[in-house]
Amino acid sequence: FNSLSRKVRMRTTKINGVVILITTTLMLLASCCFSQTYASTSVKVQNNSGVEASSGEEESNMKCAGATQQETQTCDTEDDDNYEEESDFDNEDVDYEEEEEEEEDDSNDEYDEESDYEDEDEEDYEEYICEDEDEVECQSMLLNDNECEEADTVERCKASCGFCAAEEASEAYGVKQQISSWEMMEEWNELQLYMSRIEAGEIDDEIIRDDECRNHQDLCIKWAVDGECDIPAERNHMIAMCSPVCQTCHLESPCTQFIGAEDNRTPALQPGDLNKLFKRIATASDSFDRLQLEGIIKTDEIDNEDGEWVEWMKQYQPNVLEVDPWVVTLDNFVTAEEAQHLIGVGFDKGYETSTHYGGASKNAGRSHRTSKGVFYEWHGDNAVEQIMERIERVMGIPPIYAEDMQLLKYEEGEYYKYHHDYHAGHLQSPIGPRILTFFLYLNDVEEGGETKFEDLDNLTVTPKTGRVVIWPSVLDDDPLEIEDWTFHEAMPVIKGQKFGSNLWYHQYDFQTPHKLGCGEIQI
């Protein structure tokens, strides 16, 4: 049924588009044909030489042919009046056509804006290719001068300088690395020496396992150049995440406990739990009776012991916007004072430029997302702890499954384009994929800043202080698989500012691995 309803929705949209196109074409054809027919009729009326005319027109012509001068003037006046009426009609036709052209121009302008928007995305999504800008020039230059230590040479001659070969070879030690400077090349050479010593038995390898001694991120070498391997071991996630680069394969790591232990994790959701979560919220909504009549919520799915919880939930006015997949809102979930507190925390911590992260979008980088944000470890903040207790009561999921709260700020013109919160890269990590988004609006936006679900018939949620919108990132029957229908975007702020807060839930305990710096390792 769910699959059928989605197909019907898509086909209906396509059919509507075809109908509009056909209707517009027929109107234009009818307009052109009518104008030509009327012009032809006008010629016939004015032609007194015996060409086709109606019987009434013949009589009128004969009458005027034998008339006195005064009568002739009267006939001419009548003809002029008729001609003016025809001209007026033609002018109306022209005006109508001009209106249609203006509408088409407006539509084309809008289409051009959308095309520009998409073109900008496509510019962001240029496939990375490691090669020389000019192979002949690079090889010639390097034969004469060994200039690979110069940054501009590296930029132009990555292949000739050996960077491309190094990147390919780095896959032998885990995730393929990005190597784009001579300092990074030196780190790569050190990595190779270290690994050769392990292979030669020069380093005690009793505790080394192949699945531990590998680079888990493509930026390990870059981070090593930035000095991140030098952080004290007890709080350094690099020891496990980038052990070949940091030369720590022979050291114990706090992340070791997560490697190979995927079967010991407790999931936040079992198959079927996602629907139960949203149906429970829906029982406190005004849509509850309708959802029962439509068979979306069945009588045996209602927990009669939930009465107190349902009454508590009603104060937040749950509103079911979509059921396939679920999208629901709550209102007045935080007070104005609590909202201001979170906004203030964001300023205190320092909003930083946000970047698009993850694999569930064809785009990446700055132009895909222009908002600013900061993650907030809320433990110890009494005001936020009370909000988190409220959220846990709504969701029924302990906060250890949630990321740190992300505080967001959008200025005029800022946005976050069409994207998804699910990241496939998390599937092999201790934390698992993101399963749910709990988004909280912290202010009223003067204009713009809506959250839009384009694939759900452009479903749009308007920002309002204390309003919450909740949606899933995974399927109900398989909480590890992406829910393809919840791609969304933060529309540009047209006037004023927009403040918000994101809380992302993962399928497995997020906080424990995260605090040890092990959230991103592959297990």
Side-chain angles (χ1 to χ4, degrees):
F1 177 79
N2 291 345
S3 176
L4 178 62
S5 66
R6 289 173 178 171
K7 290 178 181 177
V8 168
R9 182 188 298 145
M10 293 179 70
R11 290 177 181 175
T12 302
T13 303
K14 290 179 181 177
I15 290 169
N16 288 342
V18 172
V19 170
I20 291 170
L21 179 61
I22 293 172
T23 304
T24 304
T25 304
L26 290 174
M27 288 176 66
L28 288 171
L29 287 172
S31 175
C32 292
C33 293
F34 189 82
S35 298
Q36 289 176 1
T37 304
Y38 206 94
S40 175
T41 305
S42 298
V43 170
K44 291 177 184 177
V45 169
Q46 293 177 36
N47 186 354
N48 295 327
S49 61
V51 186
E52 293 182 20
S54 65
S55 59
E57 289 168 341
E58 288 175 356
E59 289 177 6
S60 176
N61 289 340
M62 291 174 63
K63 178 180 178 181
C64 287
T68 64
Q69 183 176 356
Q70 183 177 358
E71 289 172 337
T72 302
Q73 289 175 350
T74 302
C75 287
D76 291 341
T77 302
E78 289 175 359
D79 285 344
D80 290 342
D81 290 342
N82 289 336
Y83 180 75
E84 285 174 7
E85 287 179 8
E86 292 162 11
S87 299
D88 289 343
F89 191 86
D90 288 340
N91 287 338
E92 287 178 9
D93 236 5
V94 171
D95 291 342
Y96 177 74
E97 289 173 8
E98 286 177 353
E99 283 180 15
E100 280 193 336
E101 288 175 4
E102 287 175 4
E103 288 177 3
E104 284 185 19
D105 289 341
D106 292 340
S107 175
N108 289 336
D109 289 342
E110 184 177 344
Y111 177 77
D112 289 342
E113 289 176 8
E114 291 176 359
S115 298
D116 292 342
Y117 195 72
E118 291 169 1
D119 290 342
E120 187 180 340
D121 286 352
E122 293 299 330
E123 288 171 8
D124 293 338
Y125 187 59
E126 294 178 2
E127 184 180 355
Y128 170 74
I129 301 175
C130 187
E131 62 184 4
D132 291 338
E133 289 185 3
D134 187 326
E135 184 177 354
V136 175
E137 178 189 355
C138 287
Q139 290 183 355
S140 172
M141 179 181 64
L142 295 176
L143 286 172
N144 298 326
D145 302 293
N146 187 14
E147 297 181 350
C148 279
E149 295 186 22
E150 299 294 330
D152 62 333
T153 306
V154 172
E155 185 68 27
R156 292 184 292 113
C157 305
K158 289 193 71 174
S160 294
C161 285
F163 288 82
C164 300
E167 288 184 358
E168 292 297 326
S170 69
E171 287 191 275
Y173 308 114
V175 177
K176 182 178 177 181
Q177 297 297 294
Q178 296 183 25
I179 304 175
S180 57
S181 72
W182 192 252
E183 291 79 11
M184 293 171 71
M185 180 65 87
E186 290 177 335
E187 285 287 348
W188 161 246
N189 292 334
E190 290 292 330
L191 179 156
Q192 289 179 292
L193 287 172
Y194 173 72
M195 296 303 292
S196 66
R197 290 177 64 200
I198 290 178
E199 292 168 4
E202 297 176 14
I203 297 176
D204 181 12
D205 62 351
E206 290 182 5
I207 65 170
I208 294 177
R209 287 169 39 189
D210 291 339
D211 54 358
E212 291 179 33
C213 190
R214 63 193 305 276
N215 294 313
H216 294 270
Q217 293 290 324
D218 63 348
L219 295 177
C220 283
I221 288 180
K222 178 187 181 302
W223 293 333
V225 170
D226 293 340
E228 295 194 28
C229 287
D230 301 327
I231 298 172
E234 64 271 11
R235 55 186 179 86
N236 191 350
H237 65 285
M238 293 281 287
I239 288 176
M241 190 160 62
C242 303
S243 51
V245 171
C246 292
Q247 302 185 25
T248 54
C249 289
H250 60 290
L251 300 180
E252 289 282 7
S253 164
C255 299
T256 304
Q257 61 183 301
F258 302 108
I259 297 175
E262 58 267 31
D263 294 335
N264 299 327
R265 297 173 296 175
T266 302
L269 296 175
Q270 297 286 353
D273 284 349
L274 198 63
N275 274 346
K276 290 178 183 176
L277 185 156
F278 281 102
K279 287 179 180 180
R280 188 179 187 226
I281 295 174
T283 58
S285 73
D286 291 340
S287 307
F288 176 53
D289 291 339
R290 175 179 61 81
L291 294 173
Q292 276 193 296
L293 287 173
E294 293 175 357
I296 295 170
I297 298 179
K298 298 179 173 59
T299 304
D300 59 1
E301 294 176 323
I302 302 171
D303 188 345
N304 294 325
E305 296 181 2
D306 256 0
E308 182 181 345
W309 182 88
V310 169
E311 290 304 313
W312 174 80
M313 272 295 293
K314 284 182 178 179
Q315 66 182 307
Y316 303 122
Q317 303 165 24
N319 187 17
V320 179
L321 304 179
E322 179 64 64
V323 299
D324 181 25
W326 292 91
V327 180
V328 302
T329 62
L330 311 176
D331 277 340
N332 304 312
F333 191 75
V334 297
T335 65
E337 292 75 19
E338 289 172 327
Q340 283 301 315
H341 174 73
L342 288 172
I343 293 172
V345 168
F347 280 111
D348 291 342
K349 295 292 179 182
Y351 291 106
E352 297 178 354
T353 301
S354 303
T355 56
H356 176 71
Y357 171 73
S361 171
K362 67 177 183 179
N363 309 292
R366 182 77 179 94
S367 63
H368 190 71
R369 182 180 189 179
T370 59
S371 61
K372 295 179 175 61
V374 61
F375 282 97
Y376 179 45
E377 296 181 6
W378 45 268
H379 303 281
D381 184 328
N382 292 333
V384 181
E385 283 183 347
Q386 290 179 23
I387 297 173
M388 290 301 299
E389 288 173 3
R390 218 175 296 153
I391 294 174
E392 182 180 0
R393 191 173 181 187
V394 171
M395 304 296 286
I397 302 175
I400 60 169
Y401 289 88
E403 294 183 25
D404 293 333
M405 184 178 286
Q406 186 190 38
L407 303 173
L408 295 166
K409 178 171 74 72
Y410 292 77
E411 297 290 349
E412 287 186 6
E414 293 185 337
Y415 53 80
Y416 191 176
K417 294 182 184 178
Y418 182 87
H419 67 282
H420 205 287
D421 294 337
Y422 179 98
H423 304 311
H426 288 153
L427 285 170
Q428 302 303 318
S429 70
I431 59 180
R434 288 174 176 169
I435 55 173
L436 287 157
T437 297
F438 187 101
F439 189 89
L440 172 62
Y441 300 99
L442 300 177
N443 73 314
D444 297 342
V445 181
E446 292 185 62
E447 187 177 358
E450 301 90 350
T451 302
K452 186 171 83 171
F453 297 83
E454 180 180 313
D455 300 322
L456 299 179
D457 298 328
N458 289 322
L459 173 65
T460 302
V461 182
T462 302
K464 178 184 176 184
T465 303
R467 175 168 289 167
V468 168
V469 57
I470 311 169
W471 68 87
S473 294
V474 294
L475 300 176
D476 175 62
D477 57 359
D478 188 350
L480 296 178
E481 287 293 322
I482 186 172
E483 169 55 79
D484 288 322
W485 292 83
T486 52
F487 278 84
H488 55 282
E489 62 182 308
M491 301 301 290
V493 173
I494 298 172
K495 188 177 181 181
Q497 292 177 304
K498 172 185 173 182
F499 293 93
S501 170
N502 250 332
L503 199 65
W504 286 300
Y505 284 89
H506 285 258
Q507 176 67 343
Y508 304 108
D509 175 4
F510 175 88
Q511 289 295 325
T512 303
H514 172 67
K515 287 177 180 177
L516 294 171
C518 307
E520 298 292 332
I521 68 167
Q522 294 186 358
I523 58 173

